[in-house]
């Protein structure tokens, strides 16, 4: 189970990026019409949509549909970020999308698409639920210690019994040669029919002054934790700490860590 409270409390890095890049995505999209249908795909615990998309939705008297695959995330969002202009729904673009009859004019998806293994199929479906001329803006992380750690821990004797199916989280379409993520995603988007309005690779780093926050952020979105008995969680966290500190080349007991990562920021348009 994902942990919305932990995610919200520890998402400083994701919150910083959302505050900077959602307004940028909004600026790149064209806003001419009122009464649009806007989708926040993978809305998580709701704060990104509420804080950064909703003001624009209100300005254009539009409606925000916020969907996530995780019921705990949605429950948190419904409690904390409810609004007459937001409808929350549970679903997955590939299987059971909740609003089959709604066509969207804008789609946002912030730090979600790297959780989807069949990205071509998912992007085709996004294309199909958009109105002609609609915009789709997203950020995704093509390579991250988060997913590569699944391989190390998922193959270890100690954790493999609890991490069955970890291979499904290693995304074949991204985990290949370094630095080519944007080319792969560009080709897929164009082959589906999207026009690329903007697609850039952004290099970032974020200093965590408290290693615990860093580890808790990871754990809050780790899909395997629910299979691991609670009394083993401290040991799992220790092994994770070993992995990330080795990866960063710093001592195991370091309290600070600089997380270096890159992400793809894209705004694409369905032709008129
Ligand atoms: C890193 S969080 C980002 C949440 C939110 N966009 C934000 O900016 O805080 C990723 C979210 O994607 C959701 N997610 C993962 N796979 C998904 C899928 N296939 N369909 C919908 N949501 C998904 C997770 O449940 C989680 O809430």
């Amino acid at each position: 189970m994902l942990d919305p409270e932990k995610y919200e409390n520890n998402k400083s890095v994701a919150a910083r990026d959302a505050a900077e890049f959602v307004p940028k995505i909004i600026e790149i999209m064209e806003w001419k019409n009122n009464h649009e249908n806007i989708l926040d795909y993978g809305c998580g615990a709701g704060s990104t949509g509420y804080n950064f998309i909703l003001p624009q939705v209100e300005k254009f008297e539009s409606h925000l549909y916020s969907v996530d695959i995780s019921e705990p995330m949605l429950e948190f969002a419904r409690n904390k970020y409810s609004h007459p202009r937001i409808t929350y729904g549970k679903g997955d673009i590939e299987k059971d999308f909740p609003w089959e009859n709604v066509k969207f004019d804008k789609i946002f998806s912030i730090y979600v698409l790297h959780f989807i293994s069949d990205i071509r199929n998912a992007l085709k479906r996004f294309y199909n639920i958009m109105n002609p001329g609609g915009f789709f803006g997203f950020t995704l992380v093509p390579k991250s210690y988060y997913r590569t750690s699944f391989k190390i821990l998922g193959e270890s004797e100690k954790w493999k019994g609890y991490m069955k199916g970890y291979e499904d989280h290693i995304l074949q379409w991204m985990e290949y040669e370094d630095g080519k993520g944007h080319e792969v995603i560009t080709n897929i988007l164009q082959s589906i029919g999207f026009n690329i309005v903007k697609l850039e690779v952004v290099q970032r780093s974020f200093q965590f002054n408290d290693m615990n926050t860093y580890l808790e952020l990871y754990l809050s979105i780790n899909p395997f934790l629910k299979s691991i008995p609670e009394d083993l969680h401290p040991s799992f966290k220790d092994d994770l700490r070993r992995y990330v500190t080795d990866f960063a080349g710093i001592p195991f007991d370091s309290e600070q860590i600089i997380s270096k990562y890159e992400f793809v920021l894209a705004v694409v348009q369905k032709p008129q």
Side-chain angles (χ1 to χ4, degrees), residues 2 28 38 62 79 88-89 132 162 165 167 193 200 240 252 261 269:
L2 304 180
I28 296 167
I38 317 248
S62 294
N79 286 334
Y88 289 101
Y162 303 111
E167 299 89 344
E200 65 175 314
L240 179 64
F252 176 78
Y261 60 102
Q269 186 177 23

Side-chain angles (χ1 to χ4, degrees), residues 2 7-8 11 14-15 18 22 40-49 67-70 73 91-94 109-116 221:
L2 304 180
Y7 175 67
E8 282 292 287
K11 66 173 260 196
V22 175
D40 179 9
Y41 188 78
C43 63
S47 58
T48 295
V67 68
D68 202 278
I69 204 170
S70 155
M73 285 288 191
D92 182 344
I93 189 74
E94 294 188 276
S109 189
I110 305 302
Y111 285 146
V112 180
L113 299 185
H114 45 257
F115 292 110
I116 295 181
I221 50 171

